């Protein structure tokens, strides 16, 4: 059974709570275990949590979920760009799949609510990568 670490951003909790439920359902349907869930204040804080989960021997992959809603500045773009880059870095540095299930930037709260199902895509992607990537120890 594949084990998954889940990182959930608390900012915009009314939306990320729904995303978490969708992510857990996707893991259950795939026969995967959510080994540990780490809640962070916002998506910008997710890379550290993802890194800690990726270090755990029991975790095969990490899915990060959250939402970034647009405001009056380009802050949402800056946050999502930085988060995506650092999550990619964690995946490569830890040799563990880390997937991005963060909706945004440029979305209203209503648009974010319409995209809660993207959390399942992050879980599915993490599980697919864990299953498909060759084991480096098998060389």
């Amino acid at each position: 059974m594949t084990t998954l670490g889940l990182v959930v951003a608390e900012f915009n909790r009314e939306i990320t709570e729904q995303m978490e439920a969708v992510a857990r359902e996707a893991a259950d349907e795939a026969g995967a275990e959510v080994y540990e869930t780490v809640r962070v204040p916002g998506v910008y804080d997710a890379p550290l949590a993802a890194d800690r989960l990726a270090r755990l021997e029991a975790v095969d992959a990490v899915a990060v979920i959250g939402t970034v809603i647009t405001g009056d500045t380009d802050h949402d773009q800056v946050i999502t760009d930085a988060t995506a880059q650092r999550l990619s870095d964690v995946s490569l540095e830890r040799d563990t799949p880390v997937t991005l299930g963060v909706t945004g930037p440029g979305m209203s709260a209503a648009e974010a609510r319409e995209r809660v199902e993207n959390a399942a895509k992050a879980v599915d992607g993490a599980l697919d990568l864990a299953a498909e990537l060759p084991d480096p120890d098998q060389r």
Side-chain angles (χ1 to χ4, degrees):
M1 172 186 296
T2 304
T3 58
L4 186 68
L6 187 62
V7 179
V8 181
E10 293 280 300
F11 202 78
N12 298 308
R13 183 67 185 150
E14 66 282 354
I15 298 167
T16 62
E17 186 173 66
Q18 294 172 34
M19 294 177 83
E20 181 179 356
V22 167
R24 289 182 176 284
E25 183 178 318
D28 286 343
E29 288 175 2
E33 173 193 359
V34 176
Y35 179 79
E36 188 166 342
T37 301
V38 178
R39 289 176 179 78
V40 296
V43 299
Y44 187 79
D45 309 300
L48 178 59
D51 185 69
R52 294 287 174 90
L53 288 171
R55 291 178 191 214
L56 299 176
E57 186 69 32
V59 172
D60 298 310
V62 178
V64 176
I65 58 174
T67 190
V68 179
I69 295 173
T70 193
D72 294 333
T73 67
D74 64 351
H75 181 75
D76 58 323
Q77 184 71 51
V78 171
I79 293 297
T80 53
D81 287 351
T83 301
Q85 180 61 57
R86 289 304 297 146
L87 289 174
S88 178
D89 293 345
V90 169
S91 185
L92 292 171
E93 290 166 7
R94 298 288 168 219
D95 196 31
T96 301
V98 177
T99 56
L100 179 65
V102 175
T103 59
M107 290 188 327
S108 67
E111 290 169 319
R113 280 189 288 279
E114 292 171 3
R115 291 175 174 83
V116 296
E117 296 297 321
N118 283 359
K121 293 177 185 177
V123 168
D124 292 343
L127 297 175
D128 288 348
L129 274 168
E132 293 298 323
L133 289 173
D135 185 346
D137 295 330
Q138 299 298 324
R139 291 184 175 229

